[in-house]
Amino acid sequence: MTRANTLRVERSPALIRSQVVENLRQAILDRRLAPGQRLIERELVELTGVSRTSVREALRELAAEGLVTAIPNKGMIVTSVSAEEARQLYQVRAVLEALAGRLFVEHAGAAQRKALVRALERIERLAAKGSPVLAAKDAFYDVLFEGGGNDALRSVAGSLHARVSVLRSLSLSVPGRVEHSTKELRAIVDAVLAGDAEAAAAACARHVEEAGRAGLTALSEQDGA
């Protein structure tokens, strides 16, 4: 396991657990902690500089998110996703996000529409600078799902979100994907502003389908490496 200072946790007692979770989560998304890699508590304690209890609590939270998996007689490992699992996850995500787009057009108010535009503009600024956009895309989807007014949909999508986090990060690593992703999000916003629920649903589904293709390509290249 690489001894990276980026995993060190700042000494703020009230925030230690959340910092450990965030640092480890980001290391998984960045693939500094690779799929299938065993997570040894002693090493994580050394890397983060916190107690074993804090590390265990963080691993439990990441397990609930699906980012790490407990393996009998082996301990915790970084969760691996097969190509078939990825295809199934993207299929479900496409349906959920299409519904989210449709509901947003039907129920979102003017303030929420403006918030969606601002969220997209932030993604576009980051993409233009070559900066990471995943967190900004999360904010975009927060607005999209909240504006639809369906709490059940938000809950289901939220539980799926953690499982596809690594796949989303992998997808965005494909050359040219960030640019295409941004254009796809722009199509969603254009449909929303036009008040076209069906076009918004189709644009949402298309975005997920394109992300799925990129993610599966990257996953295949990774497995073949």
Side-chain angles (χ1 to χ4, degrees):
M1 187 178 294
T2 302
R3 297 299 194 267
N5 290 333
T6 51
L7 292 181
R8 298 294 291 186
V9 170
E10 295 298 323
R11 285 297 180 184
S12 177
L15 299 176
I16 283 179
R17 177 182 171 184
S18 63
Q19 288 179 20
V20 177
V21 171
E22 178 56 31
N23 287 6
L24 293 179
R25 181 190 292 118
Q26 197 58 51
I28 291 171
L29 295 181
D30 293 343
R31 310 186 77 72
R32 285 175 284 139
L33 296 175
Q37 180 174 339
R38 186 182 176 195
L39 300 173
I40 301 171
E41 285 185 6
R42 172 178 46 78
E43 293 186 356
L44 293 177
V45 167
E46 181 180 344
L47 285 168
T48 59
V50 301
S51 68
R52 183 162 292 198
T53 297
S54 295
V55 167
R56 286 176 180 171
E57 290 175 349
L59 289 176
R60 279 197 291 269
E61 187 166 334
L62 293 172
E65 294 181 9
L67 292 178
V68 303
T69 303
I71 303 297
N73 303 318
K74 189 173 183 180
M76 290 286 191
I77 66 168
V78 178
T79 302
S80 297
V81 179
S82 70
E84 180 56 30
E85 288 170 329
R87 273 190 287 270
Q88 292 179 14
L89 287 169
Y90 277 114
Q91 284 177 342
V92 174
R93 186 179 158 206
V95 173
L96 294 178
E97 293 188 17
L99 177 57
R102 181 180 294 108
L103 291 177
F104 190 90
V105 172
E106 295 173 352
H107 299 290
Q112 290 168 317
R113 291 170 190 262
K114 288 180 181 178
L116 194 70
V117 172
R118 288 195 298 270
L120 172 63
E121 289 172 344
R122 179 165 180 258
I123 294 169
E124 290 175 334
R125 287 195 299 272
L126 291 170
K129 294 189 297 184
S131 301
V133 299
L134 192 58
K137 289 189 67 178
D138 288 344
F140 178 92
Y141 280 113
D142 285 343
V143 176
L144 186 72
F145 279 95
E146 181 179 351
N150 188 313
D151 290 338
L153 177 60
R154 289 177 67 188
S155 177
V156 173
S159 65
L160 180 68
H161 177 80
R163 295 186 63 191
V164 301
S165 292
V166 174
L167 293 171
R168 292 175 65 216
S169 179
L170 193 61
S171 170
L172 289 171
S173 71
V174 173
R177 177 58 199 153
V178 171
E179 179 183 359
H180 288 296
S181 177
T182 304
K183 290 179 180 178
E184 292 154 17
L185 294 178
R186 171 58 67 180
I188 295 172
V189 171
D190 287 346
V192 165
L193 296 179
D196 191 331
E198 291 306 313
C204 284
R206 189 178 311 112
H207 173 59
V208 177
E209 290 163 0
E210 292 299 326
R213 274 190 273 274
L216 287 169
T217 296
L219 192 61
S220 175
E221 291 175 354
Q222 168 193 286
D223 291 342

